[in-house]
Amino acid sequence: MSSFLRAQFLCLIAFVCLGAGTACAQLFETRAAQAFMIDGETGSVLFAKDADAPVQPASLAKLMTLEMAFDAVKSGRLTLDDTFVVSENAWRTGGAPSRTSTMFAAVRSSIRLEDLIRGIAVQAANDGCIVIAEGVAGSETNFALQMTERARKIGLQKSVFVNSTGLPAEGQMTTVRELVHLARHLQQSYPDLYPLFAETDFTWNKINQRNRNPLLAMDIGAEGLAVGASEQNGFAIVGAIHQNGRRVIAALSGLASDRERAEESRKLLEWGLRSFEKTEIFAADEVVGTAQVYGGAKSGVPLKARGAVDLLLPTFNRDKLTARIVYQGPLPAPVEEGQQIGALRIWIGDTLSQEMPLYAAETVEVGELHSRAFDAVKELAIGWLR
């Protein structure tokens, strides 16, 4: 990075560590009631708006159903050639008689898992979801319990699933933040199956249907993933685009129409791609800052990250960038080299964008008696001011 930008960032950390920083306005505005977007490579948060509010997942719940199927294939418990029978319940609840999104699976027919997955990924097939649920867990209710358990294992702490389809059900909820993390998990954990979300159409039972995700028709490098709508939370989408080696993933909810959903998601995703650039702020093993030490041979210990510190910085409005080194201090000596001390937190506007752990760059031994006495007096005098 340029020496000028580096100096700016170092001053920024020093300034905010003194406790001076205030919340800033968002860099982007959307009509969505809830929205969340990250950089696909680093996981850095690029935009957040009421990201932890509970929302009805609607058809976005199918992403979790597919995660269950993908995991079963990856682990070897299932193969893509395994077949499942379409029960009358699956046919009536999610098939042609239901008048919901369906792949038109024929009752009592046998369907390969790969085709069921395609029906869900491309056509949001409710019948395909129920067929998988019943085949894997015996009943959709039991499968939904497993979905919630699996969600916890991959880091979704708030999402609760009551069925495999996202059809209206009391107690079913998620957040746009967790939907984005689920989408990133799908992309990173299942690279062979993830491209199915971008398939433009799928034919089953001699009926061809186009992919329901509007981003795929926009020629913007879209990769899917799912759309949904509920009476309570309006129109929603989970989408990702990939251009020139960069990927951004977003979820939006609370939109007024399918047209608004398409436009707002496109605008947010394209803004995420063009408005940030990856910049190395600190090289590997370079000191990021200093933490105060109590009773040590030295009054402070230098801090560094594990590896280089790469940040996604806004191309414009860099005055909206704030940073803080956070730790519980002063640290009691001794401090061991490599000990985790705290974290470097980066805000873009009022959004916590990135957080990385910081470690002691050297050992600080216990100081001599007179230095420890001085630290004790100093702590007694000013410690209450923290």
Side-chain angles (χ1 to χ4, degrees), residues 69 72-73 76-85 110-117 131-132 135-136:
V73 171
R77 300 193 307 275
L78 294 174
T79 73
L80 293 175
D81 289 324
D82 285 340
T83 59
F84 295 85
V85 175
S110 295
I111 304 178
R112 293 171 61 246
L113 178 60
E114 183 175 3
D115 293 320
L116 291 168
I117 288 173
V131 169
I132 289 178
V136 168

Side-chain angles (χ1 to χ4, degrees), residues 85-98:
V85 175
V86 181
S87 69
E88 183 167 344
N89 174 61
W91 177 70
R92 289 193 181 280
T93 306
S98 70

Side-chain angles (χ1 to χ4, degrees), residues 6 9-18 282 286-294 297-305 324-331 335 339-344 358-364 378 386:
R6 175 186 171 78
F9 192 82
L10 287 169
C11 290
L12 176 67
I13 293 178
F15 174 75
V16 178
C17 279
L18 293 175
F282 297 99
E286 194 168 3
V287 172
V288 174
T290 303
Q292 185 181 357
V293 176
Y294 171 83
K298 296 181 179 179
S299 62
V301 60
L303 305 176
K304 64 180 182 180
R324 177 175 292 147
I325 294 174
V326 180
Y327 67 97
Q328 292 291 331
L331 302 167
V335 176
Q339 177 183 335
Q340 184 173 342
I341 302 300
L344 174 64
L358 295 177
Y359 305 87
E362 62 185 41
T363 295
V364 177
K378 183 171 66 174
R386 293 192 184 90

Side-chain angles (χ1 to χ4, degrees), residues 37-46 184 246-248 312:
M37 179 171 63
I38 64 171
D39 173 71
E41 178 187 359
T42 65
S44 301
V45 179
L46 306 181
R184 186 179 185 226
R246 277 201 61 208
R247 173 180 287 109
V248 288
L312 278 167

Side-chain angles (χ1 to χ4, degrees), residues 15-31:
F15 174 75
V16 178
C17 279
L18 293 175
T22 57
C24 304
Q26 287 278 16
L27 302 183
F28 188 82
E29 186 175 343
T30 178
R31 294 176 182 173

Side-chain angles (χ1 to χ4, degrees), residues 311-353:
L311 300 181
L312 278 167
L313 302 181
T315 308
F316 306 101
N317 298 312
R318 279 192 171 153
D319 59 317
K320 303 296 186 183
L321 186 72
T322 55
R324 177 175 292 147
I325 294 174
V326 180
Y327 67 97
Q328 292 291 331
L331 302 167
V335 176
E336 298 293 330
E337 181 179 358
Q339 177 183 335
Q340 184 173 342
I341 302 300
L344 174 64
R345 294 178 182 171
I346 311 297
W347 281 265
I348 299 173
D350 59 3
T351 296
L352 178 59
S353 174

